[in-house]
Amino acid sequence: MVVNRGALPLAVGLAALTFALSGCGMGGDDEPAEEAGRAPAEEAATRSRERVQAYLDAMVAKDVAAGRSQFCATAHAAFDAAATSPNGDFAEHFTVPAATVTDVRPGARGQEVSASVTVSVGGQSTTRALLFTVTRTGADWCIADEVPGEAPPSGVPATSTVEPSPSSAP
């Protein structure tokens, strides 16, 4: 059998090139790499919204344990001290007939989630805004902080979604 000396190096070179290019994504499915670039931001917004909504649902249900479970372990002591205080989110003397997430945006310490909460005491209702900071701890997400937020625009029901103002839009 006669072998062409020039064909053998060419065949080896082509085999090596094919192997090297397959590791670079040539000929493969590029979609997972593209999704990886978008997924963290989308996941952060989704998980943050879910955490805060679960907390708001716990407020409506007056379920302190469920509310506490949404907070990061480092915030449990502050939650325990404030949650059932006279003006806390779970105070016995008022009800929360409506609460909803109104905005989610990236912030300096994590995702900032704005919420609108309607509180009723003795037949009088008022709507207040809260701002939550949600962070990632390991594989999970949790609320790291809660502070009073901007007041919702007048005439906006607590159950509607408020569009961010141009100054607060990302």
Side-chain angles (χ1 to χ4, degrees):
M1 176 173 157
V2 177
V3 176
N4 184 345
R5 286 187 179 181
L8 184 59
L10 179 62
V12 171
L14 285 174
L17 182 61
T18 302
F19 179 74
L21 289 178
S22 67
C24 295
M26 294 281 297
D29 184 6
D30 291 340
E31 190 172 334
E34 290 173 9
E35 286 180 7
R38 289 182 303 213
E42 291 173 10
E43 179 185 9
T46 299
R47 299 293 180 227
S48 297
R49 178 180 289 277
E50 290 170 353
R51 278 296 179 174
V52 172
Q53 190 61 57
Y55 181 74
L56 297 175
D57 293 344
M59 283 176 57
V60 170
K62 292 286 190 190
D63 187 342
V64 177
R68 186 180 197 266
S69 71
Q70 303 309 313
F71 275 81
C72 301
T74 55
H76 284 174
F79 175 87
D80 293 342
T84 57
S85 69
N87 292 319
D89 292 345
F90 295 87
E92 289 297 321
H93 69 282
F94 64 78
T95 61
V96 179
T100 188
V101 171
T102 58
D103 185 34
V104 179
R105 63 191 169 277
R109 299 182 322 141
Q111 295 292 306
E112 293 181 354
V113 181
S114 298
S116 177
V117 179
T118 300
V119 178
S120 294
V121 180
Q124 299 289 323
S125 292
T126 186
T127 301
R128 66 180 180 141
L130 294 174
L131 180 63
F132 296 88
T133 301
V134 181
T135 61
R136 186 172 188 160
T137 57
D140 206 3
W141 294 84
C142 59
I143 299 171
D145 195 21
E146 172 192 356
V147 296
E150 291 182 19
S154 61
V156 176
T159 56
S160 71
T161 300
V162 177
E163 293 298 321
S165 67
S167 62
S168 66

